[in-house]
Amino acid sequence: MSGWPKLKAHLKSDGVLSNNILLGLDFDGTLAPITAHPDHAAMPADTMKILSSLARRRKIRIAIVSGRSAKDIKARIGVPGVFYCGNHGLEIDGPGIRWTHAALRRSRAKLAALGCALREDLKGGAGEFLVEDKGGSLSVHYRGVSPILVPLAHKIVLKNYRRLRGDFRLMPGKKVWEIVPRLVWSKGDALLRIGRLTGCEKLIFVGDDRTDEEGFRTLRGRALTVRVARNGPSYAKFFLKDYRQVRAFLELLALRP
Ligand SMILES: [Mg+2]
């Protein structure tokens, strides 16, 4: 991966800035700093300002692609004209589209039962496990939990997850285990779908977590991909160090005529 100076040079040289762009952005760790409790995550005011200004541009469309539910992410950002894409790409709510993957509807009851079982099994831990049922996927957050408790909790999650008999898969993220329907479908597929709908010529996807790697892989050779992380193995072509560099990247896009 190449860092911010090379990404900046690439944007200027490739003519990217003159195309109609679909800009796909993850939320936690990409636009907003990661917080101890997922409910507390918020975009800094200046990032919100740039995002709102970009959303009003004629030649750019914005999609927020998150592991959160579309409803949650829409309430958290609330900028009009933006596509809110939740549950790792399984639902899209935006201008001219309100779509839910069939697997998400099929999975709801099983995930709700799994959520109840996990809350019960994990409640003996002295830590602050948070089991979040997002309607189409389930998160077990362990940020703030004593590291001593994590291996046992992982075993408990695995045991319950295995009872789902292959209909789901377990994705480790940043201090979170995500359980999602087993499908060949990623945030990248959701972005391609929005790209077709909007007729955008250039697709950009920025994400920070291991859970975004499938999206980067889907989009290989079809989009400009950026991982928010220190340089390391990734399917993304470029990297940005943190959400502050993401803001600088958005500022550059906002400078377009
Ligand atoms: Mg993230």
Side-chain angles (χ1 to χ4, degrees):
M1 292 195 291
S2 306
W4 175 223
K6 285 210 171 141
L7 173 57
K8 204 168 6 178
H10 173 76
L11 284 173
K12 287 178 175 165
S13 68
D14 189 38
V16 173
L17 298 176
S18 58
N19 284 316
N20 283 315
I21 296 174
L22 172 63
L23 174 61
L25 298 160
D26 168 59
F27 181 71
D28 294 270
T30 299
L31 290 174
I34 290 181
T35 51
H37 193 290
D39 277 355
H40 301 156
M43 242 192 312
D46 44 4
T47 308
M48 178 66 104
K49 207 167 144 196
I50 300 165
L51 197 75
S52 306
S53 130
L54 280 171
R56 289 193 296 271
R57 296 298 178 90
R58 234 172 5 95
K59 289 177 79 178
I60 191 159
R61 306 304 297 270
I62 294 170
I64 307 295
V65 272
S66 174
R68 293 173 183 267
S69 70
K71 192 176 160 200
D72 177 348
I73 202 71
K74 189 176 184 179
R76 224 162 266 277
I77 298 180
V79 175
V82 167
F83 293 88
Y84 294 99
C85 195
N87 274 304
H88 302 279
L90 292 175
E91 44 176 3
I92 305 172
D93 181 355
I97 183 168
R98 198 148 193 192
W99 172 85
T100 305
H101 198 291
L104 185 146
R105 296 191 290 274
R106 285 197 302 268
S107 308
R108 271 196 186 123
K110 278 188 182 174
L111 284 174
L114 175 69
C116 288
L118 281 173
R119 275 184 208 103
E120 191 57 35
D121 287 1
L122 290 169
K123 81 178 174 197
E128 298 273 315
F129 291 101
L130 173 69
V131 179
E132 191 189 6
D133 182 356
K134 298 171 294 181
S137 62
L138 193 109
S139 306
V140 182
H141 300 272
Y142 57 95
R143 193 166 291 275
V145 169
S146 162
I148 299 168
L149 297 171
V150 173
L152 178 62
H154 189 230
K155 273 190 194 153
I156 291 172
V157 170
L158 274 178
K159 183 189 78 186
N160 281 281
Y161 154 76
R162 284 187 182 127
R163 289 200 187 121
L164 296 172
R165 295 173 197 281
D167 292 344
F168 294 81
R169 64 205 167 90
L170 185 69
M171 294 198 294
K174 287 181 180 170
K175 306 273 182 191
V176 64
W177 296 297
E178 299 270 6
I179 295 162
V180 299
R182 186 179 291 281
L183 295 168
V184 185
W185 188 266
S186 71
K187 288 181 174 182
D189 292 288
L191 283 173
L192 289 171
R193 193 178 182 112
I194 300 170
R196 284 194 297 274
L197 183 81
T198 52
C200 287
E201 297 132 355
K202 188 79 193 179
L203 187 53
I204 301 175
F205 175 41
V206 190
D208 73 305
D209 209 344
R210 280 157 73 184
T211 53
D212 294 313
E213 285 295 331
E214 285 176 31
F216 296 138
R217 193 169 54 186
T218 305
L219 295 172
R220 245 185 328 180
R222 302 158 95 173
L224 195 164
T225 46
V226 184
R227 171 118 187 226
V228 184
R230 302 280 159 192
N231 200 0
S234 172
Y235 286 105
K237 193 159 179 207
F238 295 95
F239 76 96
L240 291 170
K241 273 192 285 190
D242 56 18
Y243 70 95
R244 294 181 195 88
Q245 278 201 340
V246 173
R247 188 169 60 220
F249 169 70
L250 297 180
E251 276 164 354
L252 181 68
L253 291 177
L255 285 177
R256 298 190 325 156

